[in-house]
Amino acid sequence: MTAPLLDVEALSIEFQTPSRKVRPVDGVDFAIGRNQTLGLVGESGSGKTMSSLGLLRLVPRPGRIVGGRIGFDGQDLLALSEPEMAALRGRRMAMVFQNPAYSLNPLLTIGRQLGEIVAWHERLGRADAEARVADLLGLVGIADPGARLRQFPHELSGGMKQRVCIARALLCDPWLILADEPTTNLDVTIQAQILDLLRSLKERLHTAMLLVTHDMGVVARMADRITVMYAGRVCETADARTIFRAPLHPYTIALLESVPRADRAYDRGRRETLPVIGGRLPDMTHPPAGCRFHPRCPEAIAECSRVLPLATPVAPGHVVSCIRRGSASIPVAA
Amino acid sequence: MGILRFILRRLMFAVVLIVGVSAIIFFLVNAIGNPVAMLAASQPNATEDSVAELTRYYHLDQPAWLRYLLWLWNLARLDFGSSITYNQPVAQMLAIWGFETLKIQIPAILLALGLAILIATIASRRQGSRLDFGVMSTALLGQSLPAFLMGVLLILVFAYWLGIFPSYGAYSTRTLLLHSSLADGLWHMVLPVAMLTFFNTATLTLLLRANMVEVLRHDYIMAARASGLPERRIIFGHALRNAIIPVLTYLGILFGLMLATAPVTETVFTWPGLGFLYINAIQQLDYPVIMGESVVIAAMLVLATLATDIAYVLIDPRIRLD
Ligand SMILES: Nc1ncnc2c1ncn2[C@@H]1O[C@H](COP(=O)(O)OP(=O)(O)OP(=O)(O)O)[C@@H](O)[C@H]1O
Ligand code: SF4
Ligand SMILES: [Mg+2]
């Protein structure tokens, strides 16, 4: 087996303020092979966006990466200098953000703000850079790219903006695209179009993708492998097929039961609570002791609040962290 | 053609504003007293004949409304009349004294803008640090200090104690006789410009830093970082551009009101500018000067708001002139 393109080990991100300490990402592992799509799933606030920003080393202050390793194409990103890291951003690893309405600079034309990126990374002149931008706008299905170059973000529809954002991520042929809920803020019909676009691009360009979403329906259509997160920790990682056919972790099972049909767009009203299990994500300042899911877990036993389950392989390519599925665990201080 | 119509409409508004403002001021000044009588009272050897002649010359024997209409008619022909106390054409006085005012006000605004951009950028990037706190406290303190106090402090320290800079005037009497030299003019400008710059910088920095902090939180800044653009370019090309938009209004006010705020500085530094002239003219009821300067102040305000609106349109594509 060749080494994966991205190999994240025990990544931890901490927000330390004088009064409190929060770990929205706590010892997270996942890996993405070349040309592979990993779906990163979890409720709102489970640390998906923080994990993606962590990969780019762009965790907003006062947050910072406090531990772990980010292997990318054989090098540890956490060991790179800031200029080396900056040279990699947008060129080798690019990101599509959650809300297209806010992720384009309102004052610059599309041609200008996308052209600036290519020009910078590839040392191109303005005309060449804009030609490249026009090519990519065409590739993401935008009609009449030449005219779009001179338009400002507010002149585009939401779906069009997200296409522009996807084009921006693809400008320098990255090896890995981080797509953070690329469809959450779009109309249902547009969501389907954007997902189709992402899938066809991935096949044509052979780019690996981290697809962040809280929508099981989306990962069902897109992902090769799936990592389920809860309150900053990984519950389960497996092939998409395994996750849907034979999920092991109680949280994965609950997530799947909360989606009536895998191909239906997730109902936004369900973002906060899972109807099947009830309750909500714990307050991250004081996460529950032991397994963080135990206050909501239908299978919880007394021991669940006394030990922290560790991600443990249960089958080739299948990792689970639940003591009732045989995972290893460490005792927590009382 | 939208822009031409917009400008035309603003200019029409300016005419209405100037007529309105000038009428109010004219009748107020008129109600206070008679400038020639005041002049006569201050000069014991004025004869009755000369007083009567002056009264006729300035049409002070005519009813007020007729004098106002006459003044307005002359203004329409760009004739501002002549000063009663200085016996000079008002237009010429406005140009000469106005130059002295602009000489300290414009550099103070531009200098402040540059300083504010520099300070606010550094402070906002180290938000919450001791440096940020220090900058903000100084700016807040500076903004709340009475304007003349700062001027008096500057004079005390740099003119009286250290004796580096002159405490009053725009030129030394000596160099005035030898035709003022450039260096002498600049030397006199230092303290008044410093005082104005200090205040403008304080306010602009507070505004700009708040906007920068806000803008730096936006997704498009994170997206620019995630695209690998260098920090310098993100700050100056993306963040600052967005952060400066709300500041344009304040810059417009600074430019528009610089004549109206001039009296404080020019009194503290005995500076021969329009602010100084205005105060004098009011004391002497020299209504041609008062009126002429009021017209210029109103026109400046209109021009400044017009320029502000055009700047908004040029910088922000989401804004259109209606
Ligand atoms: N400034 C901050 N101070 C403290 N904690 C923070 C801060 N910013 C984020 N967090 C933590 O990060 C968590 C949010 O993580 P993240 O944004 O990655 O969630 P997400 O899974 O992407 O959710 P969503 O679906 O809403 O996008 C919050 O639960 C919070 O605890
Ligand atoms: S460890 Fe316990 S609480 Fe956690 S998921 Fe497994 S059974 Fe539920
Ligand atoms: Mg998120």
Side-chain angles (χ1 to χ4, degrees):
Chain A
M1 205 174 110
T2 57
L5 173 65
L6 178 80
D7 191 3
V8 178
E9 283 168 27
L11 181 66
S12 291
I13 294 170
E14 196 169 275
F15 284 80
Q16 168 96 63
T17 57
S19 56
R20 64 208 186 111
K21 194 157 120 179
V22 184
R23 274 201 177 193
V25 177
D26 187 13
V28 163
D29 311 297
F30 54 80
I32 306 178
R34 288 178 199 274
N35 313 341
Q36 224 182 32
T37 296
L38 175 76
L40 187 60
V41 194
E43 275 168 282
S44 183
S46 53
K48 308 180 298 288
T49 298
M50 285 302 155
S51 304
S52 329
L53 292 175
L55 298 185
L56 285 164
R57 275 180 39 192
L58 284 177
V59 177
R61 283 191 298 176
R64 61 198 184 93
I65 297 175
V66 290
R69 207 190 93 89
I70 303 171
F72 183 68
D73 190 41
Q75 52 187 347
D76 182 4
L77 297 191
L78 296 183
L80 294 187
S81 67
E82 181 48 37
E84 286 170 324
M85 193 62 214
L88 192 135
R89 290 184 196 122
R91 201 163 61 91
R92 295 284 181 250
M93 196 195 290
M95 186 153 173
V96 178
F97 286 82
Q98 200 156 353
N99 198 334
Y102 302 133
S103 55
L104 293 167
N105 186 334
L107 304 187
L108 302 178
T109 61
I110 302 303
R112 176 98 186 266
Q113 54 187 307
L114 268 62
E116 184 185 15
I117 298 167
V118 201
W120 170 254
H121 282 303
E122 322 244 316
R123 315 263 176 251
L124 291 181
R126 193 178 165 144
D128 290 338
E130 293 213 341
R132 172 77 147 275
V133 174
D135 281 351
L136 271 143
L137 292 181
L139 185 75
V140 298
I142 289 177
D144 197 3
R148 300 293 179 196
L149 288 181
R150 272 167 290 288
Q151 286 190 308
F152 289 94
H154 73 276
E155 298 172 287
L156 308 177
S157 68
M160 195 77 89
K161 278 188 205 128
Q162 195 59 304
R163 282 175 197 268
V164 170
C165 291
I166 291 170
R168 171 172 62 188
L170 293 172
L171 282 172
C172 302
D173 274 326
W175 296 336
L176 176 64
I177 291 187
L178 313 175
D180 185 5
E181 315 230 19
T183 59
T184 307
N185 291 290
L186 300 173
D187 292 344
V188 179
T189 47
I190 312 289
Q191 286 187 6
Q193 289 174 18
I194 295 290
L195 287 178
D196 286 343
L197 171 69
L198 280 176
R199 193 164 39 192
S200 75
L201 285 174
K202 185 194 103 185
E203 274 156 24
R204 279 162 66 187
L205 305 176
H206 306 293
T207 309
M209 181 156 68
L210 176 73
L211 180 65
V212 170
T213 175
H214 54 253
D215 186 340
M216 274 295 191
V218 169
V219 277
R221 293 166 55 173
M222 305 283 300
D224 304 306
R225 287 177 63 75
I226 294 174
T227 291
V228 178
M229 271 184 86
Y230 185 81
R233 293 185 65 85
V234 170
C235 299
E236 182 166 11
T237 297
D239 286 338
R241 185 184 308 206
T242 311
I243 290 283
F244 283 99
R245 294 211 182 138
L248 286 180
H249 196 281
Y251 180 62
T252 314
I253 296 168
L255 265 186
L256 287 168
E257 281 171 2
S258 70
V259 186
R261 271 182 22 224
D263 60 344
R264 203 168 96 181
Y266 202 85
D267 178 353
R268 283 205 197 177
R270 294 216 186 92
R271 275 181 72 165
E272 295 300 329
T273 58
L274 291 172
V276 188
I277 40 177
R280 32 178 79 223
L281 207 61
D283 169 14
M284 293 295 285
T285 356
H286 305 285
C291 174
R292 289 182 178 179
F293 188 50
H294 85 255
R296 296 166 75 186
C297 181
E299 297 183 43
I301 51 176
E303 207 193 341
C304 295
S305 60
R306 291 198 293 265
V307 299
L308 184 68
L310 301 177
T312 310
V314 291
H318 194 167
V319 173
V320 177
S321 58
C322 167
I323 53 169
R324 301 202 57 186
R325 302 291 187 273
S327 295
S329 64
I330 47 170
V332 292
Chain B
M1 286 299 103
I3 189 142
L4 280 182
R5 273 188 52 189
F6 179 80
I7 292 175
L8 210 66
R9 214 163 47 193
R10 281 304 181 79
L11 291 182
M12 269 156 59
F13 167 71
V15 170
V16 174
L17 183 77
I18 285 170
V19 171
V21 165
S22 64
I24 292 171
I25 293 176
F26 185 91
F27 290 104
L28 275 178
V29 172
N30 193 61
I32 297 174
N34 180 331
V36 171
M38 259 181 87
L39 202 62
S42 67
Q43 307 203 316
N45 51 356
T47 64
E48 280 200 13
D49 274 358
S50 62
V51 169
E53 195 189 329
L54 270 179
T55 303
R56 250 193 329 276
Y57 181 78
Y58 288 107
H59 304 287
L60 289 168
D61 49 348
Q62 306 288 332
W65 62 269
L66 197 66
R67 276 188 290 133
Y68 176 66
L69 287 184
L70 191 67
W71 176 85
L72 208 57
W73 169 244
N74 285 331
L75 181 71
R77 298 181 305 152
L78 292 180
D79 176 0
F80 285 77
S82 52
S83 160
I84 296 172
T85 37
Y86 292 83
N87 200 17
Q88 281 176 12
V90 170
Q92 185 193 326
M93 289 175 69
L94 290 177
I96 293 173
W97 296 63
F99 172 75
E100 296 300 332
T101 295
L102 297 189
K103 202 169 90 179
I104 53 173
Q105 294 276 353
I106 290 181
I109 295 177
L110 297 181
L111 216 58
L113 182 62
L115 280 172
I117 286 177
L118 201 74
I119 299 171
T121 305
I122 296 171
S124 65
R125 296 202 49 209
R126 305 203 193 161
Q127 202 198 329
S129 70
R130 224 174 277 169
L131 179 95
D132 184 30
F133 183 75
V135 164
M136 284 310 99
S137 323
T138 314
L140 264 173
L141 185 77
Q143 205 195 15
S144 48
L145 217 64
F148 70 92
L149 195 64
M150 185 67 198
V152 170
L153 273 177
L154 284 173
I155 290 178
L156 195 65
V157 175
F158 292 99
Y160 286 96
W161 289 351
L162 300 176
I164 312 175
F165 296 113
S167 63
Y168 66 90
Y171 307 99
S172 308
T173 350
R174 193 159 34 90
T175 49
L176 203 60
L177 295 174
L178 308 165
H179 300 298
S180 63
S181 75
L182 182 66
D184 182 59
L186 290 173
W187 184 51
H188 280 76
M189 280 166 65
V190 172
L191 289 190
V193 168
M195 165 179 159
L196 286 168
T197 305
F198 182 74
F199 282 98
N200 295 343
T201 308
T203 316
L204 284 172
T205 302
L206 285 174
L207 271 173
L208 204 53
R209 178 206 168 264
N211 294 334
M212 271 301 262
V213 166
E214 223 267 313
V215 166
L216 285 175
R217 270 200 275 267
H218 271 89
D219 282 358
Y220 58 78
I221 296 298
M222 186 57 96
R225 295 213 167 100
S227 301
L229 291 176
E231 193 62 17
R232 191 171 15 92
R233 218 161 321 155
I234 294 171
I235 295 297
F236 293 104
H238 292 253
L240 196 58
R241 200 183 266 257
N242 278 279
I244 213 150
I245 289 180
V247 180
L248 290 177
T249 306
Y250 185 73
L251 269 180
I253 292 173
L254 277 184
F255 274 108
L257 288 182
M258 69 187 164
L259 298 186
T261 55
V264 180
T265 329
E266 297 182 2
T267 305
V268 172
F269 290 98
T270 329
W271 188 264
L274 283 183
F276 195 73
L277 180 66
Y278 208 38
I279 301 279
N280 267 344
I282 290 171
Q283 280 166 355
Q284 307 292 330
L285 296 181
D286 191 345
Y287 77 89
V289 172
I290 301 176
M291 303 289 290
E293 203 174 326
S294 306
V295 166
V296 173
I297 290 176
M300 287 266 299
L301 202 59
V302 173
L303 282 181
T305 42
L306 183 65
T308 307
D309 287 337
I310 292 174
Y312 266 104
V313 173
L314 291 181
I315 295 189
D316 191 338
R318 291 164 297 185
I319 296 177
R320 320 213 135 258
L321 293 173
D322 51 342

